[in-house]
Amino acid sequence: MPRLSEVIAALDALWPPERAEGWDAVGTVCGEPDAEVRRVLFAVDPVQEIADEAVRLGADLIVTHHPLYLRGTTTVAAGHFKGRVVHTLIKHDIALHVAHTNADTADPGVSDALAGALDIRVVGPLVPDATDPSGRRGLGRICELDHPMTLGEFAARAAARLPATAQGIRVAGDTEALVKTVAVSGGSGDGLFDAVRASGADVLLTADLRHHPVSEATQHAPLGLIDAAHWATEWPWCEQAAAQLDEISDRHGWDLRVHVSKTVTDPWSSHHSSGAPN
């Protein structure tokens, strides 16, 4: 069985921590470097439900996309909900490792997994990483459909292929407009409108879209916008990342048991509507 330090080294090779944004908090949150690792659980959020799932599973390591302490802390007291996660993990000898913005821009990264879930072909990054001479790394992805479809049809495909959430899929733009080129970005993406327009994409699929940026974007140009739940756009990365670690495990003869959590940790729990406007 590999030691935690060996598994972390393999994960850092996939998603080098130095490629994370300066404001980000990636890397190992807790865990004994010499501890053996047999089972690994991938999830989007390091919340109590995931910690409890790892305990039931007998996992030795959790790998999440989102950081536990993004803005730092002065306490890990169990009376606080984040401290309770830390206490649960340490009590059960479970390590926690985070790959966030360093996984967003990786090759393959979060948006590659999102494109794969939607069954669309990646052409290249939406915002290329200037330090990558191959031109493959960067934020978001530009993709092409095999056959044009309407914006409404593509939104229906997204609703069918992405994990179900209370939010569902929201659409801005003419649902009858034809779509051929798609920009995708897992997670929050309403800061990418200029890059999307420059790319010539017909539609952007992302998450956390806000009223004023969307209103301005749709007035600026006939760009279709699809807003999915943040968790739903990033969950496909868990399956992609688990497959990457599986391949590493096979190559090294580690015999790891790698799992992907299907627990929906999107914070929105229900959706009510009197119907779409005419």
Side-chain angles (χ1 to χ4, degrees):
M1 292 295 163
R3 301 198 180 279
L4 175 64
S5 58
E6 295 176 285
V7 179
I8 296 304
L11 298 180
D12 282 347
L14 292 174
W15 316 298
E18 63 270 18
R19 291 185 187 151
E21 296 290 334
W23 51 263
D24 206 359
V26 302
T28 305
V29 177
C30 64
E32 170 55 54
D34 289 333
E36 290 188 344
V37 176
R38 298 173 181 81
R39 291 183 183 271
V40 182
L41 178 65
F42 283 84
V44 174
D45 298 299
V47 293
Q48 190 63 45
E49 294 93 328
I50 298 302
D52 292 340
E53 181 178 349
V55 172
R56 294 191 302 271
L57 185 64
D60 307 294
L61 169 64
I62 302 173
V63 180
T64 64
H65 183 51
H66 290 153
L68 179 62
Y69 289 108
L70 182 57
R71 294 175 178 83
T73 188
T74 59
T75 178
V76 292
H80 187 271
F81 68 93
K82 291 191 176 185
R84 190 163 64 253
V85 171
V86 174
H87 277 252
T88 300
L89 298 180
I90 292 176
K91 180 179 179 181
H92 295 278
D93 297 319
I94 302 171
L96 172 62
H97 187 78
V98 174
H100 192 211
T101 52
N102 49 330
D104 285 333
T105 58
D107 172 34
V110 169
S111 293
D112 291 293
L114 175 56
L118 296 168
D119 194 23
I120 52 180
R121 181 169 59 88
V122 172
V123 176
L126 174 61
V127 182
D129 181 344
T131 68
D132 177 23
S134 73
R136 296 176 61 87
R137 293 200 310 266
L139 186 63
R141 295 293 185 267
I142 298 296
C143 309
E144 290 185 351
L145 299 175
D146 290 335
H147 306 285
M149 62 179 63
T150 68
L151 176 61
E153 289 169 336
F154 183 67
R157 173 188 286 203
R161 291 178 177 267
L162 293 181
T165 62
Q167 172 184 314
I169 299 292
R170 299 190 300 176
V171 182
D174 179 5
T175 56
E176 295 302 316
L178 283 180
V179 170
K180 174 63 176 177
T181 305
V182 178
V184 299
S185 184
S188 302
D190 64 13
L192 298 172
F193 291 150
D194 287 344
V196 173
R197 282 190 287 264
S199 75
D202 303 307
V203 59
L204 168 65
L205 186 150
T206 187
D208 297 343
L209 295 183
R210 296 170 296 162
H211 175 90
H212 291 296
V214 168
S215 178
E216 292 173 5
T218 54
Q219 294 296 314
H220 186 280
L223 175 66
L225 297 171
I226 298 179
D227 182 38
H230 190 122
W231 174 86
T233 64
E234 293 181 332
W235 183 85
W237 172 80
C238 295
E239 291 195 322
Q240 174 181 276
Q244 288 176 281
L245 183 56
D246 257 334
E247 190 276 330
I248 292 170
S249 174
D250 290 344
R251 188 175 353 124
H252 290 286
W254 284 349
D255 197 30
L256 290 177
R257 297 294 183 264
V258 181
H259 306 264
V260 175
S261 174
K262 291 182 170 56
T263 301
V264 178
T265 55
D266 186 79
W268 301 105
S269 58
S270 65
H271 175 86
H272 302 271
S273 174
S274 58
N278 294 323

